[in-house]
């Protein structure tokens, strides 16, 4: 599919009302009592990983940086905010974020208390961004974190993302992007292909086969297969489980011949069926015809099929809903005011004050050891024989994105490279402790 | 908050690429083999209710009807579809849905196999709508179905929706709408207030209290409370759990006086804390100061607090993620071709052919008995002493929405009226069979 630069494809309307009301009322109160101009640092982090997973994947960063640029109030929006005083409206009318953002690059692994993103500027300019920053990071990271586990489970086999129909129509587009970042091969979603240049793919629906009935109402699967091949070529994927799978495969091979691209199975006991269909295809001489499976697959089902003759997985619901963890649970907390650390002291929700950066240490072999979290301006400590990699990179300076931030494909490659640095048990699908932990130094 | 008509607020850009690639390739194949013009009926239904719930709530219908109107391809979109032939592109260039849509009104209850939406027209014009229709219905119905259970659990107490930060930034807007439809009192989301006229509300974040530190870095909760009241009036809600709750309440009352609107508690053992805070408020003479609680509440936690002195619940993550069921699992299936029923015969995914309408029967007392599903043009059967209510209403004729479709507030009232018709066990939160089942008559 044709695709031009993401910039020209994205939606450039204002992100300014993707916001909770209290951010604007806090702004108003701060303008009134003089605290609006205090220099603050807000930090995005997660207290834990959902469902006792071993790692999380940072995603959505590029979309966050765009939303910050698009955080501009229109006259119509301002006119609707009749609960604010004139001074606050005037502030919003001129609002452009002018501060700094630093954080983990997109595609980086994160763990509990990793300082994923740090937003610095005046209280007024930073507090407004809370909701939109978290919405994007929580949604995209949830999908990418689930998707990365599926990619690991697929162990080199391709996965097509096809879950658009199971999530909000724009969440679907972001989910396609996050799944691709995590290593999915392609997406069914055309808007994601259009905006982000992700490879698009697809097969056919059961409706296509059902449409092909004879005059008397009887089924005509052959006509459906023939028409699909006439239009899309013999390399296409035929959906063979609308009626009887064995008959479907036989018809598919008869119509498509030895060069038929693939058959798809979307129901039933996929392990048993794929073995049966592989035998049937091989017996018919179709050794190169691939088998695509779909039907409520998640990382566990994918792993369960690892010994079966599956070529491509189609994954829908589970990836767009984060496979049991539809949100990453990241929070946006004030950690520093006028250079001094601040922190909440509530039960179970205590946090650590001060703006932070982080390093990850690795052995000679590349294996990651731990994260070291430091005050943001602290010097890098001596890590002895371990190599220390800087996790925190500058993203926005004076309100503008810095040059050279990772592209989507770079983020995808970065994640793939990081996953292999985890201790081997870190890639397990079972529940356990995080694969790495953060150690705080200098607080 | 000011709000003008939803029409002028909504986003009018094209919905045409919120689509899976295979819909366009099936279109191309159908134009080529002559099946594109076959008159078809597609049906939206759910095979089961998630997590053994008793009922589902239909939501998103109004947004679906808008997406159908907005399903128009721009030149830039068409230029990107380089995998299609010229004839198909020409078809898309002129595409406007010209068929009929009938279905359950927004705010209606549904059960397994309820014919929620029926889309009729040529194969070509109906197949294109599959993904966007399902995305919207699945996302909005998941949220509304969870939210309705929370409203039941709250038993007349108000609930504020405040989950925007835990879901995709536009899913957040739709979630606010769906939660309001289900009976939530208000939302924190300003875009939802702007687009749909939903009442907006909010309190303050911990960052507001943390911002107010003295020169020496020590906490000054009093300054935070005073500034908030100066700006928003004494009716505001003060967040009292940033440091010590007992001190926080004492300070809140000292600053706010007897007319202080409310205090919010966002952490800890909410049952114990609300009882303690209520006693403290009453002892200080603040009998009318309300208690707002939040902190990962779902329907079960809400029900668990029913004996405690809670006035308002703030609900975030659980409602926007469907409380364990982030998608409604609805499907869009071809059920009729040129007047003849068609149906898939696969294991576990069998469906029933033919375009359908449905009635719900009620006793004299109003209690619902069952759903009767009929061929769409069948006459209404005799239901004896039971009253039969038509569930299927016309929504689109000749491609245009019919007049008088329910507004958001009407849908909200309709749902509230329907919930009280369920057999009493139908409102239970526990897992069990659906409260009603569908009986097929005339198939």
């Amino acid at each position: 599919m044709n695709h031009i630069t993401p910039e020209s494809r994205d939606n450039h309307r204002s992100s300014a009302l993707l916001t909770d009301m209290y951010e604007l009322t806090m702004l108003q109160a701060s303008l009134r009592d003089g605290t609006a101009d205090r220099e603050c640092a807000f930090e995005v982090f997660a207290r834990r990983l959902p469902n006792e997973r071993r790692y999380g994947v940072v995603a959505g960063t590029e979309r966050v940086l765009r939303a910050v640029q698009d955080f501009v109030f229109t006259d119509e929006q301002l006119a609707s905010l009749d609960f604010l005083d004139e001074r606050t409206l005037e502030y919003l009318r001129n609002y452009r974020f002018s501060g700094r953002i630093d954080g983990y690059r997109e595609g980086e692994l994160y763990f509990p208390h990793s300082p994923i993103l740090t937003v610095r500027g005046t209280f007024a300019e930073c507090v407004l961004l809370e909701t939109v920053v978290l919405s994007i990071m929580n949604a995209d990271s949830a999908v990418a974190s689930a998707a990365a586990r599926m990619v690991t489970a697929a162990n080199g086999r391709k996965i097509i993302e096809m879950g658009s129909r199971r999530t909000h129509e724009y969440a679907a587009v972001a989910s396609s992007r996050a799944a691709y970042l995590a290593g999915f091969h392609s997406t069914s979603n055309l808007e994601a292909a259009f905006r982000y240049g992700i490879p698009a793919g697809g097969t056919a629906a059961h409706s296509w086969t059902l449409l092909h009935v004879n005059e008397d109402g009887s089924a005509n699967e052959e006509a459906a297969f023939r028409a699909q091949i006439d239009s899309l070529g013999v390399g296409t994927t035929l959906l063979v489980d609308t009626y009887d799978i064995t008959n479907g495969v036989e018809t598919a091979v008869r119509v498509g011949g030895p060069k038929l691209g693939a058959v798809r199975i979307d129901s039933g006991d996929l392990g048993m069926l794929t073995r049966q269909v592989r035998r049937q295809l091989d017996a018919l001489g179709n050794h190169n015809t691939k088998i695509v499976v779909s039907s409520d697959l998640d990382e566990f089902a994918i792993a369960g099929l690892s010994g079966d003759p599956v070529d491509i997985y189609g994954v829908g619901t589970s990836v767009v809903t984060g496979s049991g963890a539809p949100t990453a649970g990241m929070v946006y907390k004030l950690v520093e005011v006028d250079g001094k650390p601040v922190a909440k002291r509530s039960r179970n929700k205590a946090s650590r004050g001060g703006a932070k950066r982080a390093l990850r240490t690795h052995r000679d072999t590349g294996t990651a050891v731990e994260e070291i979290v430091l005050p943001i301006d602290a010097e890098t400590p001596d890590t002895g024989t371990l190599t220390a990699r800087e996790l925190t990179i500058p993203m926005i300076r004076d309100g503008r994105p810095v040059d050279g931030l990772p592209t989507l494909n770079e983020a995808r490659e970065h994640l793939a490279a990081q996953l292999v640095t985890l201790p081997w048990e870190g890639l397990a699908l079972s529940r356990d402790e995080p694969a790495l932990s953060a150690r705080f130094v200098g607080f």
Side-chain angles (χ1 to χ4, degrees), chain A:
Chain A
M1 184 161 158
N2 267 337
H3 141 257
I4 45 179
T5 61
E7 290 65 31
S8 70
R9 288 295 168 81
D10 240 324
N11 169 25
H12 274 294
R13 68 181 170 156
S14 166
S15 61
L17 290 189
L18 301 170
T19 302
D20 287 321
M21 185 179 186
Y22 78 173
E23 289 153 26
L24 302 193
T25 52
M26 285 190 282
L27 168 67
Q28 175 171 300
S30 73
L31 289 168
R32 192 178 168 107
D33 86 338
T35 52
D37 290 334
R38 293 191 176 179
E39 284 297 320
C40 288
F42 284 82
E43 180 183 317
V44 175
F45 66 95
R47 292 196 178 87
R48 68 193 75 83
L49 299 175
N51 299 341
E52 298 172 75
R53 290 188 185 156
R54 313 300 180 90
Y55 63 87
V57 174
V58 175
T61 321
E62 186 186 359
R63 300 207 309 115
V64 163
L65 301 183
R66 176 167 302 276
V68 170
Q69 299 302 298
D70 292 344
F71 205 95
V72 177
F73 288 83
T74 67
D75 289 342
E76 192 194 18
Q77 289 174 332
L78 290 167
S80 78
L81 302 173
D82 58 0
F83 55 88
L84 296 176
D85 62 24
E86 192 42 55
R87 180 176 178 185
T88 308
L89 292 170
E90 187 59 25
Y91 180 89
L92 295 178
R93 191 169 290 117
N94 300 315
Y95 180 81
R96 297 286 185 286
F97 179 70
S98 70
R100 288 172 288 177
I101 298 182
D102 298 79
Y104 283 35
R105 74 197 77 204
E106 204 164 7
E108 194 68 84
L109 302 176
Y110 74 89
F111 301 94
H113 298 284
S114 292
I116 295 166
L117 218 61
T118 299
V119 179
R120 288 180 289 175
T122 65
F123 175 77
E125 67 183 337
C126 296
V127 75
L128 292 178
L129 300 176
E130 175 174 18
T131 303
V132 72
V133 167
L134 286 178
S135 290
I136 295 172
M137 297 298 294
N138 275 324
D140 292 17
S141 300
V143 172
S145 297
R149 287 159 57 87
M150 296 172 189
V151 171
T152 297
N155 197 21
R157 292 173 178 172
K158 289 178 182 171
I159 313 181
I160 307 174
E161 186 281 311
M162 38 186 271
S164 296
R165 62 194 55 196
R166 300 304 175 90
T167 189
H168 181 277
E169 68 274 25
Y170 286 101
V173 182
S175 295
S176 293
R177 181 182 181 282
Y180 179 71
L181 187 159
F184 275 43
H185 173 261
S186 54
T187 181
S188 63
N189 187 288
L190 289 175
E191 183 76 22
F194 184 72
R195 287 194 196 188
Y196 302 117
I198 300 170
T203 60
H206 292 108
S207 65
W208 176 248
T209 304
L210 293 171
L211 173 68
H212 288 82
V213 285
N214 297 316
E215 292 275 318
D216 64 358
S218 61
N220 191 343
E221 196 172 35
E222 179 170 339
F225 290 172
R226 202 173 292 285
Q228 186 177 331
I229 287 171
D230 280 353
S231 172
L232 303 174
V234 78
T236 193
T237 299
L238 298 174
L239 179 61
V240 293
D241 72 341
T242 305
Y243 304 115
D244 175 86
I245 291 183
T246 304
N247 291 344
V249 171
E250 189 275 324
T251 305
V253 170
R254 179 157 34 81
V255 175
K259 293 193 172 160
L260 176 64
V263 295
R264 176 161 78 106
I265 309 170
D266 184 45
S267 53
D269 176 341
L270 295 177
M272 186 269 285
L273 290 172
T274 52
R275 292 192 299 273
Q276 180 185 309
V277 167
R278 184 74 267 160
R279 279 194 302 271
Q280 187 182 1
L281 287 170
D282 288 346
L284 293 166
N286 277 47
H287 301 286
N288 294 321
T289 299
K290 290 184 162 56
I291 298 178
V292 182
V293 298
S294 52
S295 186
D296 289 335
L297 296 176
D298 61 12
E299 63 269 47
F300 303 103
I302 291 170
L305 290 165
S306 60
D308 298 312
V310 171
D311 296 290
I312 299 171
Y313 299 96
V315 175
T317 307
S318 67
V319 68
V320 301
T321 60
S323 197
T327 184
M330 293 177 190
V331 294
Y332 183 89
K333 292 296 172 188
L334 181 63
V335 292
E336 196 171 296
V337 178
D338 286 339
K340 297 193 182 71
V342 296
K344 196 172 158 228
R345 291 198 297 260
S346 305
R347 263 166 276 207
N348 305 326
K349 287 191 178 174
S351 51
R352 196 179 297 259
K356 308 174 186 73
R357 60 185 255 262
L359 312 170
R360 191 173 298 152
T361 54
H362 295 262
R363 298 189 203 287
D364 286 351
T365 56
T367 304
V369 177
E370 66 173 353
E371 287 196 9
I372 301 176
V373 182
L374 309 163
I376 202 161
D377 295 321
E379 285 189 27
T380 301
D382 181 9
T383 55
T385 61
L386 300 175
T387 310
R389 187 168 64 83
E390 191 73 51
L391 298 174
T392 306
I393 63 171
M395 293 178 177
I396 286 191
R397 287 292 177 268
D398 301 325
R400 301 291 307 166
V402 303
D403 290 337
L405 289 170
T407 64
L408 176 58
N409 277 308
E410 286 166 353
R412 189 173 191 259
E413 287 161 21
H414 183 75
L415 174 62
Q418 293 316 306
L419 282 172
V420 301
T421 71
L422 283 179
W424 68 268
E425 70 276 13
L427 292 176
L429 299 179
S430 55
R431 292 172 180 246
D432 209 329
E433 300 286 306
L436 300 185
S437 56
R439 183 161 60 92
F440 288 79
V441 174
F443 289 90

